[in-house]
Amino acid sequence: MAYHPFHHAHRPTDFPMSAFLAAAQPSFFPALSLPPPGLGSKPLPPELSAEAGALHPALSHHQAAHLRGLKSLEPDEEVDDDPKVTLEAKDLWDQFHKLGTEMVITKSGRRMFPPFKVRINGLDKKAKYILLMDIVAADDCRYKFHNSRWMVAGKADPEMPKRMYIHPDSPATGEQWMAKPVAFHKLKLTNNISDKHGFQTILNSMHKYQPRFHIVRANDILKLPYSTFRTYVFPETEFVAVTAYQNDKITQLKIDNNPFAKGFRDTGNGRREKRKQLTMPSLRLYEDQCKDREGADSDASSSETPAGATHSPLGPGASPLHFRARDDKTCSDSDHDLDPHDLDGSTSPGPEPESPFSARCEDRPPTSSSSLSTPTPSLSTSDSKKIHPAFSARSLDKDKSKPSDHSDTSGGISASKESFSPLMVQTESAHFSPGHLQSLALSGLHGQPFFNPLSAGSPLLFHPSQLMGPGAFSAMGMSHLLASVSGAGLDAGSLSIGSPSTGGAGAGGAGGGAFPFHLQQHMLASQGLHMPPFGGLFPYPYTYMAAAAAAASASASSSTGSPLSRHPFLSSTTRPRLRFNPYQLPVSLPQTSSLLSGALLSTSECSKAGSSSREASPVLELNHKLGHSGVSPKSSSLKDSVNELQSIQRLVSGLEGQRGGSPTADSPKGDRTQDRGEGGEGVRQQTVFCPDPGACRLPPHPPPPPSLETPPSSPLLCSLCDGCVNKELR
Amino acid sequence: MAYHPFHHAHRPTDFPMSAFLAAAQPSFFPALSLPPPGLGSKPLPPELSAEAGALHPALSHHQAAHLRGLKSLEPDEEVDDDPKVTLEAKDLWDQFHKLGTEMVITKSGRRMFPPFKVRINGLDKKAKYILLMDIVAADDCRYKFHNSRWMVAGKADPEMPKRMYIHPDSPATGEQWMAKPVAFHKLKLTNNISDKHGFQTILNSMHKYQPRFHIVRANDILKLPYSTFRTYVFPETEFVAVTAYQNDKITQLKIDNNPFAKGFRDTGNGRREKRKQLTMPSLRLYEDQCKDREGADSDASSSETPAGATHSPLGPGASPLHFRARDDKTCSDSDHDLDPHDLDGSTSPGPEPESPFSARCEDRPPTSSSSLSTPTPSLSTSDSKKIHPAFSARSLDKDKSKPSDHSDTSGGISASKESFSPLMVQTESAHFSPGHLQSLALSGLHGQPFFNPLSAGSPLLFHPSQLMGPGAFSAMGMSHLLASVSGAGLDAGSLSIGSPSTGGAGAGGAGGGAFPFHLQQHMLASQGLHMPPFGGLFPYPYTYMAAAAAAASASASSSTGSPLSRHPFLSSTTRPRLRFNPYQLPVSLPQTSSLLSGALLSTSECSKAGSSSREASPVLELNHKLGHSGVSPKSSSLKDSVNELQSIQRLVSGLEGQRGGSPTADSPKGDRTQDRGEGGEGVRQQTVFCPDPGACRLPPHPPPPPSLETPPSSPLLCSLCDGCVNKELR
DNA sequence: GTCTTTGTCACCTAAGTGGAAACC
DNA sequence: ACGGTTTCCACTTAGGTGACAAAG
């Protein structure tokens, strides 16, 4: 009795393949298992903000519900949640983003280096959630790295179906998910279209991608198709897939921060030539952070964080990288590593790697856009804020600057430069079927596909065309699948998703029993643009995200005026505030689907979006929700939303810099370190939504509240559209 | 569409901690969520034997049901299953077992080396199963290694609560489980009673243990407590826990076969002294096998099987070790590695490590028993069969020998020397509560406790005394727990299992929300014997397993007369045939519980069991089933059982050696290689049950069928008792 | 003093990393 | 020749293994 020595690291992952399969089923019957539309808002704690446990359950539920601006959905149970997602190691991501993040893809699959890891708050402790991640094309351009910068090199190649990676621990309770950062280490990037392993996402080299994170409240993967997806996009995680690094600065940054690349650090060990001495001063930057949280990450990661010192504050403030970026202007490059010896002469701020992705698909040289977003030369980061850690209170405060302009190209949403304005789109899973669940990838342990019905051989991936002919979702065989799903105890184990009804289009592959390791539904964005739209289902290939991102970046850059504010998005924390219920999504609100599936920017939109502001990159939180016929938002909700946001900001700032409620105060750098003690506590969120549904490309969203009490320091801009009347909420 | 490149290694593991928690709840209300007793047998395919996919669903269901000999239970659904479990790398296990397997336990936890891995067949493809494993005391003796042999050194020390390790992929469909071998690599052995990690089982050094494997058909861990457990025991996996290796031969065998110990192989690299040149000839034995199946193992094992050549037949036949054991009599030692330079002179067969565990608890020197089981000196394995791979048809055929004697001490069950006669005891989970689920250990990924409500800190382990005072199950707070469990969506995340109701006995530990990483229910055997029985629940500390093992070993040795037949059990394949439904277990059939939880042999019984025959070690398959009031078996069922067995054997033999139906033929060594191509296909099973319930210590079981058509080559003996009238069924 | 346990160590597997050259 | 891809390499982290010496 006095024992209880065991401390089991339970893996609550509850992924019955059957569930998985079912989840993958593209459900085209929105009402199938959904609650009646317009259920009405359910109570949601408004102040989950700071700490998940600090909310008042019933007190402000109603308010919160309104804040969300729409029917709270969550038909299933009466759950009080208001997820707030914070990107871990945001500062690191920012550093990469400024240079133009590159991710190597290999045949065998490569991890993302700045590991995609998020910290979640505001979930209902008891409710079960399924967390997912996917990577979708950021646009439809092909890129090339020329003259030390990324340039558009034509139209994108066709995208392979993107897989929806289900966090292996799903489903798990909110408490469990909030206990520690949620990592997706098992997800690997590959260019091998015949990928046999799981956990791999097929990308096109020299194309730009955007990782996305999804939260679904569901206690069973079987319910995934009928559940609401809350999608979070961290623009700073955008990257170009490459087979070999193009930008030496990126290489050096990777070497300096990825423990597995220590062998390439200039420690006098006769390392390779090339990028030389950037390392020393910043050694053990990201790594130290990881140490702190060691053992706390999920995603079956045994190797995510390297070993080493475990006491350094993991917050960006503590990390040398961050420091460098913010304080070091010694180097010519943007806050990249202090590396004194940049090889390619990109050291100079202007044309340097700092404007990696400025170019959009219009085939116009990136320089134009880059220049736009890369105002100041040299280290820039002139705005110390620019490099502020995602968790530091400072970043939030700094952006008290004006709401910013909302010019189409540059004046995006200035949801506080560094305060991460989340753009949340809530979508019903039933709808994500056509656009959301491109394919579900259930991560196994150690990359070891445990239950491969196909004898661990051929993957069961469904191509969009397979599953659904042009607009032939119901006709495809989805009904068949859905039927199966309906069964409570239905086992997907041997259920052949695509083969049976869709014909032998290669879905089943070898193996005997068809198995839905990763169900390939339609991959909207990534594929929608490049492939003929499926029937009339996806009229809008462009995704909200992209638009929002563009708007946000534009506004951010203008608002901050920081030279480095080239990046479209830089937010680190998001919190669901606004929920769109594009019940009619398939036709009337296709964008939502698009966004979820692809997040593509059309050429024209790309241009509109402008390059980007690296400074204020709002996290786009897309909360997709079905079950509600109307898209008309409640103005009151919006207002409440703003109020909530303000309070949240205060809470956050208080949390981070002990400056509760004073977002205006520009916290000195000192805060940074404090902010991110061990787990990057400094969570901040902002709700970014478009008050003028008519003027934006986004699905109908609630109009801006009449009166906005939002503090000036935290401007609420619509990230969903750039032409919105109420671009600035504050 | 033509893509389907993704091949996700989904991890169907569905372990919502809530479920886990619930499962851990000691349910003392058998009828709580159970179907009415005597539900009646449900159809079960009789010939799942060879291949899981080769069965005739309806055709022989009825027959199968009868074969099973009892009410099929499986109240939930009408599932057709007849699990057949084969121990992977049986030959390796055999080699170790002959020497007296030792497993190092360390403070940080040590893996088992011959990894405990099983191949499963006969499951219902669609049904969900939860697979578990635990390690229980094999007897109540303490051992010491003296004069190159293991000797009893007194009574056993008190056992720590044993944890029930739930395979991380649970629950998963039968199809998934059968797709590849199921490994339990994450399970670690430790002597650290304050174990903070999960996946660790606390053992006492110098004590003997027996791993057990459990199959539970349940789609949710929450249902575990109310589900039927089918327990499989592979006697050859018995081992002595040590902090340092005692037998140099074991050390060498480990070094030669464990890829992680390659550094100690005598490859001229100036290895340490000690055991010298056994290695060379056998290099890459087990490892090669592993390679073949690489990527097929489950249990989140990233490192289970080493890399290397991937073409060698993994069957024991192909492995040098096996070869050696069987064919090599060059070395003095039993079939240990051919190592010519054995240091301790144990090379000589007689007193050597070959008779490791012959001694039982009677404090009598092991020699007596060892002598009994270790008839021949030297390499012995005179009986080529002895070392036959578990999967080779040969072994099965060989034992066509006479049924053997059933003398209490030595004349055990001769269920064919090498044909692995499974002893299956089916027990209702509701009952395992008192004795079965000592503690549930949910394996996490990479030993990284993902969802630790206690902030990944203190383990939540319940000591028996905590959860239940002497016979105070219901009074403890179990009701409370059960109640929680009843909730469908109940989240265990924050549920404090032990703390709330049982008082702060240390169950909750630090952390905030109590979490059931491993629920400690009652740990019967291991603890039952050493601790005061809980109320009157466990009148029989001795477990069937032990008894059966003893009987089996005894018979085996006598039947084969092989000098090496010292090991009590050597079977590698089991298949549920007989199902006991000790509905009244708590009181009337406590043994079942005991078996499940502890599998302890009383001193007297130990002696009765005799040492062992290394040759014919039947797999004990214990199928614990509640829900049936009567224990009276149907004779007809038994008969059918035999028939089925025969057909199965034929199938198996045919599968292995292409000699379908000719069990009598003693296959030459050549078969071996064939038998275990890639995954050790050569599955063979035998049902071992006691036809005379009255004469055996086992719970009431069906009487032997009047007429037995079992082929002479496959003797069916009762492994459950040695005094059974129908000890020999064939 | 004997037996057992503990900690450190060298050595190994497994796998992540970027470089460099080969490849196409 | 050029640009992108592939392969192999050395190096790293992470962790498994038994030997060995030092404790207990």
Side-chain angles (χ1 to χ4, degrees):
Chain A
M1 45 291 309
Y3 297 140
H4 53 71
F6 294 103
H7 177 93
H8 241 195
H10 50 309
R11 287 196 73 262
T13 44
D14 184 334
F15 278 29
M17 283 331 277
S18 58
F20 189 28
L21 208 176
Q25 311 312 333
S27 56
F28 229 16
F29 319 120
L32 192 56
S33 60
L34 289 169
L39 270 179
S41 61
K42 66 182 181 331
L44 287 166
E47 57 240 48
L48 312 173
S49 59
E51 305 295 13
L55 33 135
H56 308 222
L59 187 55
S60 42
H61 278 185
H62 288 33
Q63 189 184 20
H66 288 287
L67 285 175
R68 212 117 312 97
L70 309 175
K71 34 287 177 179
S72 309
L73 317 165
E74 268 59 74
D76 334 85
E77 319 110 36
E78 307 180 9
V79 178
D80 291 341
D81 63 0
D82 186 13
K84 182 181 54 177
V85 180
T86 303
L87 178 66
E88 288 276 284
K90 179 204 178 338
D91 58 316
L92 222 203
W93 275 107
D94 285 347
Q95 291 184 65
F96 276 100
H97 189 53
K98 285 169 188 159
L99 297 174
T101 310
E102 297 174 27
M103 293 287 177
V104 169
I105 56 179
T106 66
K107 193 174 180 181
S108 58
R110 199 80 144 188
R111 288 183 180 176
M112 293 174 67
F113 166 57
F116 191 87
K117 203 186 303 183
V118 295
R119 194 176 288 274
I120 308 170
N121 278 296
L123 296 177
D124 183 279
K125 282 186 176 180
K126 308 294 185 195
K128 287 274 188 69
Y129 296 87
I130 293 173
L131 270 46
L132 309 90
M133 173 184 177
D134 64 357
I135 297 175
V136 297
D139 55 34
D140 60 344
C141 303
R142 178 190 177 77
Y143 291 81
K144 65 178 177 182
F145 192 73
H146 196 60
N147 290 137
S148 299
R149 54 171 49 79
W150 284 101
M151 306 180 76
V152 170
K155 266 287 183 185
D157 296 326
E159 284 290 326
M160 289 294 286
K162 291 296 169 293
R163 152 180 317 169
M164 186 72 77
Y165 177 91
I166 302 178
H167 193 289
D169 287 320
S170 305
T173 64
E175 183 170 32
Q176 295 165 345
W177 290 119
M178 296 186 290
K180 59 171 173 289
V182 178
F184 290 85
H185 296 143
K186 300 307 266 297
L187 176 62
K188 288 187 178 179
L189 314 181
T190 187
N191 57 348
N192 183 9
I193 58 172
S194 57
D195 159 39
K196 304 173 191 58
H197 315 78
F199 324 127
Q200 295 197 19
T201 290
I202 303 175
L203 305 179
N204 284 329
S205 182
M206 314 307 272
H207 286 62
K208 196 187 297 180
Y209 293 93
Q210 173 63 61
R212 299 184 306 175
F213 173 64
H214 315 274
I215 296 178
V216 179
R217 188 166 69 232
N219 54 20
D220 193 315
I221 296 179
L222 278 165
K223 298 177 182 174
L224 212 44
Y226 319 111
S227 302
T228 295
F229 272 62
R230 298 191 218 197
T231 300
Y232 302 79
V233 175
F234 298 91
E236 59 267 58
T237 60
E238 182 188 55
F239 65 86
V240 171
V242 297
T243 54
Y245 288 120
Q246 305 294 312
N247 186 343
D248 288 339
K249 291 192 179 64
I250 288 294
T251 302
Q252 191 56 48
L253 203 49
K254 296 250 185 183
I255 290 173
D256 290 343
N257 291 279
N258 189 329
F260 286 109
K262 272 183 180 171
F264 298 103
R265 292 183 188 170
D266 304 312
T267 53
N269 304 331
R271 236 36 291 87
R272 260 89 164 183
E273 298 313 300
K274 255 194 165 180
R275 75 259 120 45
K276 296 256 176 11
Q277 63 287 343
L278 297 171
T279 317
M280 298 326 280
S282 63
L283 252 143
R284 296 252 156 60
L285 311 174
Y286 170 73
E287 304 166 50
D288 287 345
Q289 301 177 21
C290 296
K291 310 304 173 55
D292 291 343
R293 317 175 172 161
E294 220 166 300
D297 290 340
S298 60
D299 190 34
S301 66
S302 61
S303 54
E304 160 143 39
T305 56
T310 57
H311 57 295
S312 68
L314 78 91
S319 88
L321 282 178
H322 173 69
F323 190 73
R324 202 177 282 126
R326 195 181 63 183
D327 302 334
D328 298 60
K329 320 204 167 194
T330 62
C331 296
S332 57
D333 292 80
S334 56
D335 61 346
H336 184 197
D337 268 346
L338 298 179
D339 261 317
H341 323 50
D342 265 288
L343 301 175
D344 53 21
S346 59
T347 328
S348 61
E352 259 318 89
E354 299 202 81
S355 58
F357 303 141
S358 43
R360 290 297 168 182
C361 307
E362 286 101 38
D363 291 343
R364 58 190 167 91
T367 51
S368 67
S369 59
S370 70
S371 65
L372 178 156
S373 59
T374 319
T376 63
S378 99
L379 265 287
S380 66
T381 58
S382 58
D383 221 328
S384 62
K385 319 153 187 175
K386 175 182 63 182
I387 306 193
H388 274 332
F391 310 94
S392 68
R394 186 214 274 114
S395 61
L396 185 63
D397 298 338
K398 292 178 181 178
D399 283 325
K400 291 168 290 190
S401 55
K402 63 281 183 183
S404 84
D405 53 350
H406 40 340
S407 62
D408 285 331
T409 53
S410 63
I413 304 144
S414 73
S416 77
K417 303 171 185 180
E418 298 180 350
S419 59
F420 337 124
S421 51
L423 190 168
M424 174 180 170
V425 175
Q426 192 164 296
T427 298
E428 172 97 41
S429 294
H431 279 288
F432 87 70
S433 61
H436 210 142
L437 280 188
Q438 304 161 348
S439 67
L440 287 174
L442 220 185
S443 68
L445 296 177
H446 293 123
Q448 153 188 299
F450 176 54
F451 288 132
N452 190 330
L454 305 177
S455 68
S458 56
L460 188 67
L461 187 59
F462 298 87
H463 191 81
S465 59
Q466 283 188 321
L467 290 182
M468 42 192 170
F473 236 84
S474 57
M476 282 308 285
M478 290 305 100
S479 60
H480 158 259
L481 292 171
L482 285 172
S484 320
V485 172
S486 64
L490 166 134
D491 284 352
S494 60
L495 215 176
S496 176
I497 294 177
S499 314
S501 55
T502 61
F515 211 62
F517 282 126
H518 23 278
L519 293 181
Q520 209 268 293
Q521 304 214 339
H522 0 225
M523 42 244 64
L524 253 202
S526 305
Q527 302 204 7
L529 260 182
H530 311 293
M531 309 180 79
F534 313 115
L537 296 176
F538 311 117
Y540 304 84
Y542 314 131
T543 63
Y544 300 140
M545 184 202 79
S553 64
S555 73
S557 62
S558 63
S559 64
T560 62
S562 160
L564 296 176
S565 57
R566 260 178 267 167
H567 301 289
F569 323 93
L570 285 175
S571 59
S572 294
T573 304
T574 70
R575 183 182 178 190
R577 188 115 317 124
L578 199 55
R579 295 183 183 180
F580 296 98
N581 300 284
Y583 199 42
Q584 65 286 34
L585 249 190
V587 178
S588 59
L589 297 175
Q591 301 95 322
T592 300
S593 297
S594 296
L595 182 155
L596 288 172
S597 61
L600 283 176
L601 281 174
S602 70
T603 303
S604 62
E605 301 215 327
C606 287
S607 56
K608 253 201 289 188
S611 302
S612 58
S613 64
R614 288 213 178 93
E615 269 300 355
S617 58
V619 172
L620 300 183
E621 180 177 334
L622 312 172
N623 201 6
H624 309 263
K625 183 82 177 188
L626 284 178
H628 295 60
S629 58
V631 191
S632 60
K634 305 165 185 176
S635 62
S636 64
S637 301
L638 257 187
K639 191 184 299 185
D640 290 348
S641 245
V642 173
N643 290 330
E644 185 186 26
L645 181 67
Q646 295 177 1
S647 64
I648 289 165
Q649 291 182 321
R650 273 181 242 114
L651 283 170
V652 173
S653 69
L655 184 91
E656 298 177 347
Q658 312 308 331
R659 289 181 270 79
S662 63
T664 323
D666 194 65
S667 63
K669 302 167 186 178
D671 296 355
R672 225 173 18 182
T673 312
Q674 300 174 355
D675 299 342
R676 291 170 85 177
E678 228 260 349
E681 313 284 24
V683 282
R684 60 194 61 166
Q685 65 251 335
Q686 275 196 331
T687 303
V688 179
F689 48 77
C690 177
D692 182 0
C696 82
R697 294 187 294 285
L698 291 167
H701 49 281
S707 64
L708 298 170
E709 303 95 335
T710 319
S713 61
S714 58
L716 291 178
L717 300 175
C718 179
S719 299
L720 302 177
C721 60
D722 48 4
C724 239
V725 179
N726 292 286
K727 192 166 297 178
E728 304 174 21
L729 291 181
R730 86 166 191 70
Chain B
M1 45 282 317
Y3 297 138
H4 52 69
F6 295 102
H7 177 94
H8 240 195
H10 51 309
R11 286 197 72 265
T13 43
D14 183 336
F15 278 30
M17 283 331 278
S18 59
F20 187 30
L21 206 176
Q25 309 313 333
S27 57
F28 229 18
F29 319 119
L32 193 53
S33 60
L34 289 170
L39 269 180
S41 60
K42 62 176 182 338
L44 288 166
E47 55 239 49
L48 311 174
S49 58
E51 305 295 11
L55 34 132
H56 309 221
L59 186 58
S60 43
H61 279 186
H62 286 33
Q63 188 183 21
H66 286 289
L67 286 174
R68 211 121 307 98
L70 308 175
K71 36 285 174 180
S72 307
L73 319 163
E74 268 59 72
D76 333 85
E77 320 110 34
E78 305 180 10
V79 178
D80 289 343
D81 64 359
D82 186 13
K84 182 180 55 178
V85 180
T86 303
L87 178 66
E88 288 275 284
K90 180 204 178 338
D91 58 317
L92 222 204
W93 276 107
D94 284 347
Q95 291 184 64
F96 276 100
H97 191 50
K98 286 170 189 162
L99 297 174
T101 310
E102 296 174 27
M103 294 285 179
V104 169
I105 56 179
T106 67
K107 194 174 182 181
S108 59
R110 200 79 144 189
R111 289 182 181 177
M112 292 175 67
F113 166 56
F116 191 87
K117 200 185 307 182
V118 295
R119 194 176 287 272
I120 308 171
N121 278 295
L123 296 177
D124 183 278
K125 283 186 177 181
K126 308 292 185 195
K128 288 275 188 68
Y129 295 88
I130 294 173
L131 270 45
L132 309 90
M133 173 184 176
D134 65 355
I135 298 174
V136 297
D139 55 35
D140 62 344
C141 303
R142 178 190 177 79
Y143 291 81
K144 65 177 177 181
F145 193 73
H146 197 61
N147 289 138
S148 297
R149 55 171 49 81
W150 283 102
M151 306 180 77
V152 170
K155 268 286 185 186
D157 296 327
E159 285 289 328
M160 290 294 287
K162 290 297 171 291
R163 150 180 318 170
M164 185 72 77
Y165 177 90
I166 301 178
H167 193 289
D169 288 320
S170 304
T173 64
E175 184 170 31
Q176 295 165 346
W177 289 119
M178 295 186 292
K180 58 172 173 287
V182 179
F184 289 85
H185 295 144
K186 300 305 266 294
L187 176 63
K188 288 186 179 181
L189 315 181
T190 187
N191 58 347
N192 182 10
I193 59 172
S194 57
D195 160 39
K196 303 173 193 57
H197 313 76
F199 323 125
Q200 296 198 18
T201 291
I202 303 174
L203 305 179
N204 284 328
S205 183
M206 314 306 273
H207 286 62
K208 195 185 300 181
Y209 293 93
Q210 172 64 61
R212 297 184 307 175
F213 173 64
H214 314 276
I215 295 178
V216 179
R217 188 166 69 231
N219 54 20
D220 193 315
I221 297 179
L222 277 164
K223 298 177 182 174
L224 212 44
Y226 319 110
S227 303
T228 295
F229 272 63
R230 299 190 218 199
T231 300
Y232 301 79
V233 176
F234 298 91
E236 58 266 60
T237 59
E238 182 187 57
F239 65 86
V240 172
V242 297
T243 54
Y245 288 121
Q246 306 295 310
N247 185 343
D248 289 338
K249 291 192 178 65
I250 288 293
T251 301
Q252 191 58 46
L253 203 49
K254 297 248 184 182
I255 289 172
D256 291 344
N257 291 279
N258 190 329
F260 288 108
K262 272 183 180 171
F264 299 103
R265 292 182 187 170
D266 304 312
T267 54
N269 304 331
R271 235 37 287 90
R272 260 87 162 182
E273 298 314 301
K274 250 194 169 180
R275 77 258 119 46
K276 292 252 173 22
Q277 62 287 346
L278 297 172
T279 316
M280 300 324 281
S282 62
L283 251 140
R284 296 252 156 60
L285 310 176
Y286 169 72
E287 302 166 49
D288 287 345
Q289 302 177 23
C290 295
K291 311 302 172 59
D292 291 343
R293 317 173 171 161
E294 221 167 297
D297 291 340
S298 61
D299 189 34
S301 66
S302 61
S303 54
E304 159 146 38
T305 56
T310 58
H311 57 294
S312 68
L314 80 88
S319 88
L321 282 176
H322 173 70
F323 190 73
R324 201 177 281 125
R326 196 181 63 185
D327 303 334
D328 298 56
K329 317 203 174 204
T330 62
C331 295
S332 57
D333 291 81
S334 52
D335 62 344
H336 186 196
D337 270 346
L338 298 178
D339 262 318
H341 324 49
D342 264 289
L343 300 175
D344 53 21
S346 58
T347 327
S348 60
E352 259 318 89
E354 301 204 78
S355 58
F357 302 140
S358 43
R360 291 294 169 183
C361 307
E362 282 103 39
D363 291 343
R364 57 190 168 94
T367 51
S368 64
S369 57
S370 69
S371 64
L372 178 154
S373 58
T374 320
T376 63
S378 98
L379 266 286
S380 65
T381 60
S382 58
D383 223 328
S384 63
K385 318 155 189 178
K386 175 182 65 182
I387 305 190
H388 274 333
F391 310 94
S392 67
R394 183 211 277 112
S395 61
L396 186 63
D397 300 338
K398 293 178 180 177
D399 283 323
K400 290 168 290 190
S401 57
K402 64 280 183 183
S404 87
D405 53 352
H406 40 339
S407 62
D408 284 332
T409 52
S410 63
I413 305 143
S414 73
S416 77
K417 305 171 184 179
E418 298 179 352
S419 59
F420 335 126
S421 50
L423 190 167
M424 174 179 171
V425 176
Q426 192 164 296
T427 300
E428 174 96 40
S429 293
H431 277 288
F432 88 69
S433 62
H436 211 143
L437 280 188
Q438 303 161 348
S439 67
L440 287 174
L442 219 185
S443 69
L445 296 177
H446 295 125
Q448 152 189 299
F450 174 56
F451 287 130
N452 191 332
L454 305 176
S455 68
S458 56
L460 188 67
L461 186 61
F462 297 87
H463 191 81
S465 59
Q466 280 186 321
L467 290 181
M468 44 192 166
F473 237 85
S474 57
M476 283 308 285
M478 291 303 102
S479 60
H480 157 259
L481 292 171
L482 285 172
S484 319
V485 172
S486 62
L490 164 133
D491 284 354
S494 61
L495 214 175
S496 176
I497 295 177
S499 314
S501 56
T502 61
F515 212 62
F517 283 125
H518 23 278
L519 293 181
Q520 211 270 294
Q521 302 215 337
H522 2 224
M523 44 246 62
L524 253 203
S526 304
Q527 302 204 9
L529 258 181
H530 310 293
M531 307 181 80
F534 312 113
L537 297 176
F538 312 116
Y540 304 83
Y542 313 131
T543 63
Y544 300 140
M545 185 202 79
S553 63
S555 73
S557 61
S558 63
S559 64
T560 63
S562 160
L564 296 176
S565 59
R566 260 179 266 167
H567 300 291
F569 324 94
L570 285 175
S571 60
S572 293
T573 303
T574 69
R575 181 182 179 190
R577 188 117 314 128
L578 200 55
R579 294 184 185 181
F580 296 98
N581 300 285
Y583 200 42
Q584 66 286 35
L585 250 187
V587 180
S588 59
L589 296 174
Q591 302 95 323
T592 300
S593 297
S594 298
L595 183 156
L596 288 172
S597 61
L600 284 175
L601 281 174
S602 70
T603 304
S604 61
E605 301 214 327
C606 284
S607 57
K608 254 202 287 187
S611 304
S612 59
S613 63
R614 288 212 179 94
E615 272 295 358
S617 58
V619 171
L620 301 183
E621 179 178 336
L622 313 172
N623 199 8
H624 308 264
K625 182 86 179 185
L626 283 177
H628 296 59
S629 59
V631 191
S632 59
K634 306 165 185 175
S635 61
S636 64
S637 300
L638 258 186
K639 189 184 297 184
D640 290 347
S641 245
V642 174
N643 291 332
E644 184 186 28
L645 180 67
Q646 294 178 0
S647 61
I648 290 165
Q649 289 182 323
R650 274 182 241 115
L651 283 171
V652 172
S653 67
L655 185 90
E656 297 176 350
Q658 312 308 334
R659 289 180 271 77
S662 63
T664 324
D666 194 66
S667 63
K669 302 164 185 178
D671 295 355
R672 223 169 24 179
T673 312
Q674 301 176 353
D675 298 342
R676 292 171 83 177
E678 228 261 350
E681 313 286 25
V683 280
R684 61 193 59 170
Q685 66 249 336
Q686 276 197 329
T687 303
V688 180
F689 50 77
C690 178
D692 181 2
C696 81
R697 293 188 294 287
L698 292 167
H701 50 284
S707 64
L708 300 170
E709 304 95 334
T710 319
S713 60
S714 59
L716 293 177
L717 299 176
C718 181
S719 297
L720 302 175
C721 60
D722 50 2
C724 240
V725 179
N726 292 285
K727 189 168 298 176
E728 305 173 18
L729 292 180
R730 89 166 189 72

